[in-house]
Amino acid sequence: MAARNSFKGDWLVLPLVGIVAVLLLWTASSASWAKSLPSPLKTWEMSKLYVMEPLAKRGELDQGVVRFTWYSLVLVTKGYAIALLVGTPVGFLLGCSKRLTLMFDPIIQFLRPVSPLAWLPLGLVLFQKSEPAALFTIALCAMWPTVINTAVGVRAVPQDYLNVARVLKLSRTKTLFKVLLPATLPYMFTGFRLSLGIAWLVIVACEMLIGTPGVGGFLWQEYNSLIYEHIILCILTIGLVGFVLDRLMGMVEKRFSAV
Amino acid sequence: MNSNDKYLEICDLTKAFDGPTGTIEVVKGFQLKVKCGEFISLIGHSGCGKSTVLSMIAGLTLPTGGGIILNGREIDGPGPDRGVVFQAPCLLPWMTAEENVLLGVQQVFANDSKQRQREIAREYLELVGLGGAFHKRPAELSSGMRQRVGIARAFALSPKLLLLDEPFGMLDALTRLELQEILLSVWQRHQMTAVMVTHDVDEAILLSDRVVMMTNGPQARVGEIVNVPFARPRDRISLLESAQYEDVRDNVLSFLEERSNIKPRLPIESGAVSNASAEIATRT
């Protein structure tokens, strides 16, 4: 039965069917109960300029989608880098020491669910400027999966490998770089991928609040200007970029766990 | 008795673990003296504590009572003067065969040039018949080849004492025979002292000078010691054909089947042990 119902084009046809169904639902909604929701066609007409001239710059908050995406990505990269640079060593320390874990695990579990929207004002208070505040928020929110996965990875290093290190009397640094780190890499990269997903979620929220040029900033401005079509354009852009980032990191992750 | 006669001295060794039903003494009052250059096999039933003894000689676990003196110094932790071949080869999967061996070589020959270190690693890999597999990762090697890398890694340290924990236990019979020969020839060339845990009687007889038989745990200790009188270099075929071989083999097997459960209330004195082995020596 199963064999008869599936054919080779499934991977392409079925997603297309899904997309068409959602487009129909969207069109029907904008025509019936949600009158202020722009229809797909209208969205495209209003957004054409931004998509077809993706690199144009007409004003601070009037630029092509690729430019906005680029600004957001630059900010995300900075915040994400901080998250990894801080999160990886912290995760290692937690993984190596039971005491440190007992000390800090409750705090981590406590801080982890705090929304970026709550951190940003604190960042603004601390740094007085919007960009460092945004980086602070991204780093703080995106750090946790890296911390937790790295710690789990370190704890999961087989005792056999550690015995080898002990029998050969490897120094602490050598044990770290030759045994612990390579054995933990697959876990670390899972953490890195999850962190990147969160960083991308957070950036949009940050930009909406601080109003810098970027996908999130543009979205908020167009909401205030009552151009709802552009809100949808932004949502689609954010989704697409997030999807691509996740896929890219997934490929990197696969590469490292294949060892 | 000169110092060579007790190169490795295990005195009243005891190891207790805290279990759910209280403290269990796995090994108690284990006594053994090993001569320099001697090959010793530890044989006994599964779970009798053979590996625990070996792991204490390696320094990976510390005894809860008694002590181990190697070449005049008490063992208080692991070190590269003792090469360990584990039951599973324990190779680091992200390194090639050469890099795995090199990891140890760099520790012991830290002052040699990188070129020289590499030569040493390759030399030992060639010795165990892995001349063509320097750059293969463990995942690309068969289990026999991986165990060869493990042996090369231990030998490349040029250790004074070689510790083998059922080194061929996970291999098929043909590979096992082949690796026993390799181990024998490499050991002979380097004249090191070796302690091997095994439950293969034939393997123990082929390789060792003395077979140390342990009583069943808990509180396992040395039950009897059998001298293996065959001249070296040995080869399997002529060994199997000799009449003495059957005697030695029967002796070990009958201990394992009948006498391993006997528990004298007092730990066996070292005199009693040598009596036992003397008796066997006269019998054989």
Side-chain angles (χ1 to χ4, degrees):
Chain A
M1 265 324 263
R4 243 182 65 192
N5 285 341
S6 66
F7 65 101
K8 275 185 183 162
D10 272 2
W11 65 273
L12 182 66
V13 173
L14 291 181
L16 284 178
V17 171
I19 290 169
V20 169
V22 171
L23 283 177
L24 285 176
L25 191 70
W26 176 5
T27 313
S29 298
S30 69
S32 56
W33 61 274
K35 292 282 183 207
S36 44
L37 178 71
S39 71
L41 201 65
K42 197 145 172 281
T43 304
W44 169 245
E45 273 167 10
M46 293 291 287
S47 310
K48 218 163 40 182
L49 179 65
Y50 294 87
V51 180
M52 302 307 274
E53 292 177 39
L55 294 171
K57 181 171 181 177
R58 290 169 291 268
E60 194 61 10
L61 277 167
D62 186 12
Q63 308 184 26
V65 274
V66 171
R67 259 178 187 276
F68 278 136
T69 307
W70 174 249
Y71 296 139
S72 299
L73 279 176
V74 169
L75 206 57
V76 155
T77 310
K78 289 183 192 166
Y80 180 57
I82 298 173
L84 297 198
L85 289 176
V86 177
T88 315
V90 169
F92 250 92
L93 287 177
L94 289 180
C96 290
S97 158
K98 231 177 186 150
R99 287 206 173 148
L100 283 177
T101 305
L102 284 174
M103 237 184 267
F104 292 110
D105 194 56
I107 300 179
I108 290 174
Q109 301 302 340
F110 185 85
L111 293 181
R112 208 160 55 104
V114 174
S115 154
L117 300 174
W119 287 116
L120 188 68
L122 186 65
L124 285 169
V125 172
L126 283 173
F127 299 102
Q128 306 291 333
K129 277 186 182 160
S130 57
E131 188 176 317
L135 294 183
F136 167 79
T137 310
I138 296 168
L140 210 56
C141 293
M143 193 167 76
W144 307 121
T146 296
V147 171
I148 292 168
N149 276 283
T150 307
V152 168
V154 172
R155 278 180 221 127
V157 174
Q159 187 60 40
D160 285 354
Y161 297 171
L162 298 177
N163 278 346
V164 169
R166 288 177 64 202
V167 165
L168 300 178
K169 244 190 177 149
L170 298 185
S171 65
R172 272 168 179 264
T173 23
K174 233 177 168 183
T175 306
L176 177 66
F177 286 106
K178 296 271 180 176
V179 181
L180 277 181
L181 200 62
T184 315
L185 269 184
Y187 288 86
M188 278 165 55
F189 272 92
T190 305
F192 291 173
R193 182 169 60 86
L194 297 174
S195 283
L196 184 60
I198 293 185
W200 184 245
L201 274 181
V202 170
I203 181 71
V204 175
C206 282
E207 281 179 353
M208 285 174 71
L209 288 179
I210 60 181
T212 51
V215 190
F218 181 56
L219 190 155
W220 194 245
Q221 184 214 244
E222 297 308 274
Y223 165 70
N224 287 327
S225 325
L226 309 177
I227 310 177
Y228 301 145
E229 290 82 359
H230 291 168
I231 296 181
I232 294 171
L233 171 67
C234 287
I235 291 175
L236 295 178
T237 310
I238 293 165
L240 181 69
V241 174
F243 174 76
V244 171
L245 287 180
D246 190 68
R247 280 297 153 100
L248 286 178
M249 272 313 274
M251 278 157 65
V252 176
E253 191 188 343
K254 238 191 195 147
R255 165 75 188 75
F256 276 95
S257 51
V259 174
Chain B
M1 185 183 264
N2 67 40
S3 66
N4 260 1
D5 279 350
K6 43 178 187 177
Y7 178 71
L8 172 70
E9 195 174 3
I10 304 172
C11 308
D12 206 17
L13 192 71
T14 299
K15 179 71 183 178
F17 290 106
D18 287 323
T21 54
T23 308
I24 302 163
E25 284 178 313
V26 181
V27 177
K28 192 178 184 194
F30 187 99
Q31 307 268 17
L32 187 67
K33 282 174 189 155
V34 180
K35 284 192 263 237
C36 195
E38 200 175 15
F39 198 121
I40 293 284
S41 290
L42 284 181
I43 203 164
H45 287 284
S46 297
C48 81
K50 309 182 292 278
S51 294
T52 312
V53 171
L54 199 80
S55 144
M56 284 189 280
I57 304 175
L60 287 171
T61 47
L62 292 176
T64 47
I68 303 167
I69 295 161
L70 174 64
N71 203 12
R73 274 197 58 208
E74 182 166 6
I75 288 172
D76 58 359
D81 56 336
R82 281 151 285 157
V84 185
V85 179
F86 299 96
Q87 182 170 15
C90 293
L91 304 180
L92 303 178
W94 50 87
M95 292 183 179
T96 62
E98 185 184 291
E99 286 165 340
N100 265 292
V101 177
L102 208 51
L103 192 66
V105 172
Q106 285 166 345
Q107 288 300 106
V108 180
F109 303 97
N111 296 324
D112 284 309
S113 67
K114 288 223 179 305
Q115 183 57 38
R116 177 75 196 118
Q117 290 173 346
R118 194 167 291 270
E119 278 168 24
I120 296 172
R122 294 191 166 192
E123 189 185 315
Y124 281 94
L125 280 169
E126 272 164 12
L127 208 60
V128 296
L130 286 180
F134 295 153
H135 301 298
K136 293 217 162 119
R137 288 178 200 279
E140 301 169 86
L141 299 173
S142 69
S143 59
M145 288 164 100
R146 274 181 239 157
Q147 193 60 304
R148 285 169 204 238
V149 180
I151 292 171
R153 180 173 61 189
F155 272 106
L157 304 176
S158 296
K160 294 178 224 141
L161 180 61
L162 187 67
L163 301 169
L164 305 126
D165 187 0
E166 293 181 36
F168 313 125
M170 307 216 305
L171 304 177
D172 64 274
L174 282 176
T175 315
R176 194 181 314 162
L177 296 186
E178 193 187 341
L179 286 188
Q180 284 167 357
E181 305 275 346
I182 288 173
L183 173 63
L184 203 55
S185 70
V186 183
W187 171 77
Q188 221 139 33
R189 200 181 308 181
H190 289 73
Q191 281 306 308
M192 51 182 100
T193 313
V195 179
M196 177 178 74
V197 163
T198 181
H199 15 232
D200 182 336
V201 177
D202 294 305
E203 178 175 287
I205 297 173
L206 172 69
L207 295 174
S208 35
D209 297 306
R210 284 191 292 159
V211 179
V212 174
M213 298 178 289
M214 287 178 69
T215 61
N216 292 348
Q219 305 198 338
R221 84 186 92 76
V222 175
E224 290 173 27
I225 297 179
V226 174
N227 280 323
V228 183
F230 306 109
R232 292 183 190 271
R234 292 174 184 168
D235 87 282
R236 193 189 309 275
I237 309 294
S238 53
L239 216 62
L240 287 172
E241 282 167 355
S242 83
Q244 277 187 331
Y245 186 84
E246 279 303 306
D247 289 341
V248 177
R249 194 170 190 277
D250 286 347
N251 196 357
V252 176
L253 281 176
S254 68
F255 172 85
L256 291 176
E257 279 165 17
E258 297 154 22
R259 304 194 296 280
S260 61
N261 249 326
I262 297 166
K263 280 194 183 128
R265 270 184 301 170
L266 292 167
I268 294 177
E269 300 288 317
S270 53
V273 171
S274 46
N275 279 346
S277 50
E279 181 194 322
I280 288 145
T282 49
R283 254 183 59 183
T284 54

